[in-house]
Amino acid sequence: MTALIWENSTDYEVGNVDQDGLWKKVIGELFEDFLLYFAPDLHAQVDFSEKAEFLQQELFQQIIKDKKGRKITDQLVKVHLKDGEEKWVLVHVEVQSDNEPKFAKRMFQYFYRIFDKYDKEIIALAIMTSPHKSEFPTEFRYTYFGTKLNYAYNTYKIVDHSYEELEQSDKLFSKMILAIKYMHDTREDVDKRYTFKMKLMREVIKSKHYSWSEIKAVFYFIDYLLRLPEELSEKLYDKMSVIMKKEGNGMVQFESEGWSPTMEAIFTRIHEKGEKEGIEKGIEQGIKQNKVELVLGMVKEGIPIATITKIAGLDEEVIKKLVGWK
């Protein structure tokens, strides 16, 4: 069983971006990729042929007692290990950004509450999303008259990972980390954010490493995290629709339901352009085949359009265009 506790950033303005919700969604949809990126050693031990089971959130509320006033997303996930043994692995994950002096103590408190309740192995991972360098402790130490305690946990700081490193990685969550870095670096420059967003989406589209469902989850995260004003959004839709049609590896034929707003707009543009091109091609073909007079004559005689389509061998939309109907 894997317990995920995901805490949102609190030391900077994020506008209307629901990072808690975005992280919760992407972890749920890409849990295997999440472990591959942040906990590769654990990932190697999990049997992913057995579907991970996300349990009810309420089960974990008894463990985390000090949630009041804090933005925390928590989940319980049951996984199976390759050794076949009946045991749990509890993974404790937080996203922390402000310089909280008691952070290490709180990490330990979460640990012992989980351990006391379940008595299972726990892997603790703290993910720092702040764009600023910080001196967060990576362990909690306690000593009092000879009683000593030392609790250490894993940390991942986004600020410590360069653009070059992330861009060279094929792991899906490297794209999410890139999106966070782009968000930080473009808070005051929407044109730069537009360029970064299009670049990142294009890289994901061109890659042959990801499935459609994986791309859908990544794009949802990127789209909502890197929001753009309407004018630049429209520009992005137009540019990306061309890129998608050219480099999308058949994605334009994929069912567009459930995609993020940007992807839905791109699919709409591709389909509308395809319909327009089809009608224009049909008109051109009709003209070349000297069928215009034939069609106009049948329309004048009041022949039903369904019959005209069969006789002329043209689509109904093409016939409507030829005679000026809407």
Side-chain angles (χ1 to χ4, degrees), residues 42-254:
L42 172 61
H43 176 274
Q45 299 301 317
V46 175
D47 180 6
F48 290 102
S49 66
E50 296 280 353
K51 186 177 181 181
E53 180 184 354
F54 283 74
L55 305 179
Q56 291 298 318
Q57 184 172 339
E58 289 76 13
L59 295 177
F60 205 62
Q61 303 304 315
Q62 301 173 31
I63 297 174
I64 306 302
K65 302 292 186 181
D66 57 350
K67 292 183 64 173
K68 186 176 180 181
R70 309 191 63 85
K71 295 181 179 180
I72 298 176
T73 299
D74 52 54
Q75 298 180 17
L76 282 172
V77 189
K78 183 188 292 186
V79 298
H80 301 270
L81 302 185
K82 293 179 179 178
D83 59 17
E85 293 184 18
E86 293 286 335
K87 65 178 183 179
W88 296 348
V89 179
L90 294 175
V91 182
H92 180 95
V93 183
E94 290 205 16
V95 174
Q96 177 69 25
S97 289
D98 55 356
N99 290 310
E100 182 187 344
K102 296 183 178 180
F103 176 73
K105 180 179 179 181
R106 187 159 56 81
M107 288 288 289
F108 172 68
Q109 289 174 329
Y110 289 164
F111 167 82
Y112 76 66
R113 288 170 182 170
I114 297 171
F115 187 78
D116 180 60
K117 185 173 180 63
Y118 295 112
D119 191 23
K120 300 297 180 179
E121 294 86 354
I122 301 170
I123 293 178
L125 171 63
I127 301 176
M128 318 299 189
T129 63
S130 173
H132 312 295
K133 289 285 185 179
S134 61
E135 298 300 326
F136 271 93
T138 58
E139 58 185 26
F140 172 71
R141 292 185 176 183
Y142 175 89
T143 178
Y144 188 70
F145 286 96
T147 300
K148 297 181 180 181
L149 174 71
N150 184 32
Y151 169 68
Y153 49 87
N154 302 286
T155 59
Y156 180 97
K157 295 182 181 181
I158 289 178
V159 70
D160 291 338
H161 298 267
S162 68
Y163 279 112
E164 182 180 8
E165 172 194 345
L166 295 167
E167 288 169 353
Q168 290 178 353
S169 173
D170 290 328
K171 294 181 179 178
L172 270 178
F173 269 83
S174 67
K175 310 310 175 188
M176 265 78 84
I177 301 303
L178 270 174
I180 294 174
K181 291 179 74 71
Y182 288 156
M183 180 188 69
H184 292 321
D185 293 346
T186 60
R187 289 191 178 279
E188 306 298 328
D189 190 340
V190 292
D191 290 316
K192 187 177 181 181
R193 175 170 292 191
Y194 159 81
T195 301
F196 278 158
K197 185 173 183 177
M198 184 168 69
K199 175 185 176 183
L200 187 54
M201 285 187 158
R202 182 173 185 175
E203 288 177 354
V204 174
I205 289 173
K206 290 178 65 177
S207 176
K208 300 184 184 301
H209 297 284
Y210 316 132
S211 67
W212 284 331
S213 59
E214 290 173 331
I215 292 173
K216 180 185 289 188
V218 174
F219 274 3
Y220 192 97
F221 186 92
I222 294 171
D223 201 9
Y224 278 99
L225 196 71
L226 300 176
R227 292 185 179 180
L228 295 169
E230 184 176 356
E231 182 179 348
L232 286 177
S233 290
E234 293 293 328
K235 183 179 178 181
L236 179 72
Y237 302 158
D238 292 336
K239 293 283 188 180
M240 284 300 300
S241 63
V242 176
I243 294 172
M244 176 71 79
K245 190 172 181 180
K246 181 179 179 181
E247 302 175 352
N249 299 321
M251 285 180 63
V252 294
Q253 304 298 326
F254 187 63

